[in-house]
Amino acid sequence: MAIWTRADKNGQLDLLLRDRWIRVAAELTRETLTLTAEADLSGPGGNLDYNSSQSGLRNGLSNGGEPGLASANPNRNQNSDIHPNHGAIRRSDSPARGALSRGHFENSSNYGYNSPGSGKFSRDNGANSDFGSPGSSYGSPGSSFSSRHGEMPNSFEADRSEAIRKVRVVKQESGGLGISIKGGRENRMPILISKIFPGLAADQSRALRVGDAILSVNGNDLREATHDVAVQALKKAGKEVTLEVKYIREVSPLFKKPSMVADLPWEGTRSHSPSFSGDELPKHGPPSKDRKVIPLKMSFISRNLTMPDLENRLLELHSPDGQHTVVLRCKDAASAQAWFTAIHTNIAALLPQTLAHVNAYLSAPTTATHPQLKHIGWLAEQVQLDGGRVQYRPIVMALTEKDILLFDSVPWSRDAWTNPLLTHPILATRLVHSGSSQGSPALGGDLVFATRTGTSRGIESHVFRVETHWDLSSWTRALVQGGHAAAELIKEVSIGCVLNRQEVRLTLHYDKGFTVSREPGDPTGGMILYRYPYEKLKMSADDGVRKLYLDFGGPEGELVFDLRSGPKPVVFVLHSFLSAKLTRMGLLT
């Protein structure tokens, strides 16, 4: 019986959430990975200068391989573009997962915040702000604004649904206005209020809200103002400030901080598996909208699968239903490998629970047949694309005592089990390759194994990628030993065919070898024509269409069987019987 080791680990990671990186505290336990939001690191309209050496840029490259772009002003990030392509967070049926993009970064200034005793403003240049925008540049996906540089958005000028308001704000003796702004002509945005600090002057006026565009300050028009001009206007406004504002409905959602509960969909095993009890999830106290608890049972941890990872520091955690992917970024390659190993170890340790659950419903009294699940897990199947290119897609493989089944998600129920994507008899399948292959720029070579199955249509080949050497050895052993066990269990395979214009039956028996007999319906009865043990076989071949050639060195010479269909299933079964017998005799290991 296998003794599983489990890993407990915690630390800080970056989570790709709604097209931006969010700093999270990660806690790994035996059965769950808990992510708790800490800070918004970057993203479209985010306020962290992701091009500076202090902002988390590793090795001079952003993930996706785009070189860092230096800002014209070293003190702040005005309007830098970074557009790495990433894989999609939600998966579709297409092997190509789509792409995420990051847009412009805008600067941001706080007025009167953290400056007690003074009406002066404090600038943070976006470095320490706690807000960001998922779509900061006009013309970006989901934006209704004009994309021409220097123009104000059309909706800003033409929208009459919101009235222009004049708001009088009296600054406090300490605390200043108490707002944060972002935008400006150079950013192709109006000057927008992005945050209102509780208890300060703007908040006490009860007349301003996040998403208000500041059109003027004390009569000074800011419609075409740059960010710095707006900063100076607010700085010189005096104690009493009259703001002309208009609420921009289209941009107000951009300032909402993402919630991991709302924005991180994840379907685990709870809704599918009755064996999941509430005790299996850790007690975390009152529910928090900034925390996500991810069950690990039958999740799929992978690297460099659906997203490019040139820096080798990303992790992909795929949901058991095959619909969602959580992308995590570590500080460096060594940290990524440590986190990957820990999560993979815990997922592997939960495998016996899944086997017990599936076998429980397969052996239910209402089940007509009772297959026994021997092994199950996530793999990545190679998919051929146009132009000779290949791609991998996540897939679940299950091995029973007789069959290999493929699913697009974990079959938690009997209904799901009866609808596999593909079923192959393990006796007609052979393992033809197991080891490393080239083609992964991040890892230096994928670990893969390949299978070939004899079918009536010919040979069907599959290539599967695994994540670790442990996975490779586990699947290799399960397939080889499963084939040998199936040979001993099934014992005998026979097929009706034609030999010398006579209807005969060719039988392959695991112990007795070959038997050729007349069909029972033949007038002469089902008499045996030939019987040979395996060691008498001198030659075997097939034409790949319908004929099988066997030569036992007897006086009858070469026997030519017309199988009326593809001969490959019989050829592969013969190979499995011979391999199992040689292994049992100790001639193969």
Side-chain angles (χ1 to χ4, degrees):
M1 181 177 179
I3 300 177
W4 298 95
T5 59
R6 302 182 190 239
D8 292 329
K9 190 174 178 63
N10 58 73
Q12 288 187 330
L13 300 173
D14 299 340
L15 167 68
L16 187 59
L17 178 63
R18 221 168 64 182
D19 299 13
R20 72 177 72 182
W21 291 106
I22 302 294
R23 176 61 52 82
V24 296
E27 179 186 0
L28 177 67
T29 64
R30 293 162 61 95
E31 298 186 358
T32 62
L33 176 66
T34 301
L35 305 177
T36 305
E38 290 190 354
D40 182 4
L41 292 184
S42 67
N47 298 288
L48 182 67
D49 183 354
Y50 204 68
N51 294 318
S52 70
S53 60
Q54 292 82 14
S55 64
L57 190 64
R58 310 285 193 243
N59 303 324
L61 292 175
S62 62
N63 273 304
E66 294 289 341
L69 301 178
S71 174
N73 186 339
N75 296 320
R76 61 184 176 92
N77 181 14
Q78 269 281 9
N79 201 22
S80 300
D81 292 327
I82 301 179
H83 295 290
N85 291 326
H86 290 303
I89 294 301
R90 181 176 176 88
R91 298 210 296 269
S92 67
D93 294 333
S94 169
R97 305 300 185 194
L100 302 177
S101 63
R102 292 202 297 263
H104 297 288
F105 297 132
E106 268 69 60
N107 49 18
S108 176
S109 299
N110 294 338
Y111 297 97
Y113 191 53
N114 292 331
S115 55
S118 170
K120 296 182 180 180
F121 69 95
S122 63
R123 288 273 306 273
D124 66 3
N125 290 328
N128 300 305
S129 69
D130 55 358
F131 58 88
S133 161
S136 61
S137 62
Y138 295 131
S140 64
S143 170
S144 61
F145 300 122
S146 166
S147 61
R148 287 183 294 174
H149 181 72
E151 290 188 359
M152 286 300 175
N154 294 333
S155 59
F156 175 65
E157 295 294 342
D159 185 4
R160 296 292 182 260
S161 60
E162 295 289 340
I164 295 176
R165 312 179 327 268
K166 282 190 176 182
V167 178
R168 179 173 172 269
V169 180
V170 179
K171 291 182 183 179
Q172 300 172 339
E173 292 299 325
S174 63
L177 276 177
I179 64 173
S180 291
I181 67 167
K182 72 186 319 178
R185 181 182 179 84
E186 73 277 30
N187 295 316
R188 292 169 287 175
M189 295 179 67
I191 302 299
L192 296 167
I193 297 177
S194 58
K195 189 166 185 177
I196 298 176
F197 295 96
L200 298 185
D203 180 50
Q204 290 182 352
S205 74
R206 299 292 186 265
L208 295 174
R209 53 178 169 168
V210 171
D212 275 341
I214 301 177
L215 309 183
S216 69
V217 176
N218 290 345
N220 185 8
D221 196 333
L222 298 183
R223 285 176 173 84
E224 297 287 332
T226 64
H227 188 86
D228 283 341
V229 168
V231 167
Q232 294 302 316
L234 288 164
K235 176 181 178 181
K236 299 175 181 178
K239 181 171 182 175
E240 294 189 7
V241 184
T242 300
L243 301 176
E244 192 176 29
V245 298
K246 179 177 178 178
Y247 182 63
I248 307 298
R249 188 179 303 276
E250 291 86 348
V251 300
S252 61
L254 306 185
F255 303 124
K256 294 181 180 178
K257 188 176 180 180
S259 164
M260 285 200 289
V261 171
D263 298 329
L264 188 61
W266 186 270
E267 291 297 331
T269 58
R270 267 187 177 273
S271 60
H272 304 282
S273 170
S275 67
F276 229 105
S277 65
D279 294 335
E280 295 185 59
L281 293 178
K283 306 296 188 298
H284 287 287
S288 170
K289 67 178 181 179
D290 292 327
R291 173 176 288 158
K292 188 75 173 182
V293 180
I294 299 176
L296 295 179
K297 184 196 283 189
M298 284 309 295
S299 295
F300 179 30
I301 183 72
S302 66
R303 305 194 64 186
N304 208 47
L305 180 58
T306 62
M307 292 183 64
D309 183 16
L310 300 182
E311 293 179 334
N312 200 22
R313 60 190 184 111
L314 298 184
L315 306 177
E316 302 175 25
L317 188 60
H318 306 265
S319 61
D321 68 352
Q323 295 299 311
H324 308 289
T325 300
V326 170
V327 179
L328 299 168
R329 185 177 65 183
C330 305
K331 65 179 181 180
D332 52 37
S335 176
Q337 185 59 38
W339 272 101
F340 172 84
T341 301
I343 296 173
H344 181 276
T345 298
N346 288 8
I347 292 176
L350 294 170
L351 181 60
Q353 293 184 22
T354 303
L355 289 172
H357 169 74
V358 175
N359 281 321
Y361 72 65
L362 289 179
S363 61
T366 56
T367 305
T369 59
H370 304 283
Q372 183 74 17
L373 181 63
K374 298 297 185 180
H375 194 59
I376 190 172
W378 282 98
L379 300 167
E381 182 185 20
Q382 189 180 94
V383 179
Q384 295 290 333
L385 303 178
D386 295 337
R389 295 176 299 117
V390 298
Q391 196 169 34
Y392 288 97
R393 62 167 180 168
I395 204 81
V396 174
M397 178 181 284
L399 301 182
T400 69
E401 69 271 53
K402 293 183 179 180
D403 294 307
I404 300 173
L405 302 95
L406 298 182
F407 300 88
D408 58 6
S409 62
V410 179
W412 290 118
S413 67
R414 177 68 189 181
D415 288 341
W417 179 267
T418 57
N419 291 285
L421 297 174
L422 183 69
T423 302
H424 282 322
I426 195 170
L427 202 58
T429 302
R430 70 176 69 163
L431 182 71
V432 295
H433 173 78
S434 176
S436 178
S437 72
Q438 298 302 315
S440 171
L443 304 180
D446 295 327
L447 295 174
V448 301
F449 66 87
T451 62
R452 302 178 78 199
T453 301
T455 73
S456 59
R457 301 174 302 279
I459 296 176
E460 188 170 315
S461 300
H462 295 271
V463 178
F464 301 96
R465 194 192 96 174
V466 298
E467 297 299 316
T468 68
H469 286 280
W470 182 87
D471 293 330
L472 186 64
S473 62
S474 296
W475 282 107
T476 300
R477 183 171 57 252
L479 285 165
V480 173
Q481 294 181 353
H484 295 165
E488 296 186 11
L489 175 67
I490 297 173
K491 290 284 188 184
E492 181 180 290
V493 173
S494 65
I495 182 173
C497 52
V498 176
L499 175 66
N500 298 329
R501 299 183 180 180
Q502 290 184 344
E503 294 288 337
V504 300
R505 180 159 292 273
L506 173 63
T507 301
L508 279 66
H509 193 278
Y510 176 65
D511 294 314
K512 299 176 182 178
F514 300 88
T515 300
V516 181
S517 60
R518 289 193 178 96
E519 289 284 21
D522 191 279
T524 60
M527 65 178 293
I528 295 176
L529 299 177
Y530 307 102
R531 175 174 285 166
Y532 290 104
Y534 288 109
E535 56 265 26
K536 290 291 185 179
L537 182 64
K538 306 298 183 182
M539 185 275 296
S540 66
D542 67 89
D543 66 354
V545 181
R546 57 188 293 168
K547 291 184 179 179
L548 175 68
Y549 306 93
L550 300 176
D551 188 351
F552 299 97
E556 69 281 356
E558 182 181 75
L559 301 178
V560 181
F561 298 90
D562 185 350
L563 304 182
R564 300 190 184 92
S565 63
K568 293 303 182 182
V570 177
V571 174
F572 277 57
V573 169
L574 172 59
H575 176 276
S576 294
F577 278 166
L578 291 174
S579 176
K581 286 179 69 67
L582 291 173
T583 301
R584 187 178 66 175
M585 296 168 62
L587 300 178
L588 286 180
T589 57

